């Protein structure tokens, strides 16, 4: 699954589906302009990789985000970075 998230006009927050019961990988790619960021958040206090806050930012190099896209995989409890 590939999800394109359009943040060309403004920063955006995208809530991930629950990791519980999710099988496979999901790739999220930010379509951004300037310094706009896409913030990925989770439900039910789930985490993304080592980010205990359950939030991860993606964007272009101007945004300072660590990734422009990210592939996540569920362990049936939380999200890991594949």
């Amino acid at each position: 699954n590939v999800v394109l998230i359009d943040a060309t006009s403004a920063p955006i927050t995208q809530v991930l589906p629950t990791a519980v019961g999710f099988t496979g990988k999901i790739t999220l790619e930010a379509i951004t302009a300037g310094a706009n960021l896409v913030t990925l958040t989770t439900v039910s206090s789930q985490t993304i990789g080592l980010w205990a806050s359950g939030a991860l930012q993606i964007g272009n190099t101007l945004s300072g985000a660590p990734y422009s896209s990210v592939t996540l995989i569920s362990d049936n409890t939380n999200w890991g970075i594949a």
Side-chain angles (χ1 to χ4, degrees), residues 15-74:
V15 179
L16 297 170
T18 181
V20 177
F22 190 95
T23 58
K25 297 178 184 178
I26 185 170
T27 299
L28 300 115
E29 184 172 341
I31 302 169
T32 62
N36 292 345
L37 289 169
V38 173
T39 301
L40 305 174
T41 62
T42 63
V43 296
S44 304
S45 301
Q46 295 174 358
T47 61
I48 303 172
L50 299 177
W51 286 270
S53 65
L56 173 66
Q57 292 182 318
I58 58 175
N60 64 27
T61 55
L62 296 174
S63 71
Y67 310 100
S68 61
S69 67
V70 65
T71 299
L72 303 175
I73 189 166
S74 168

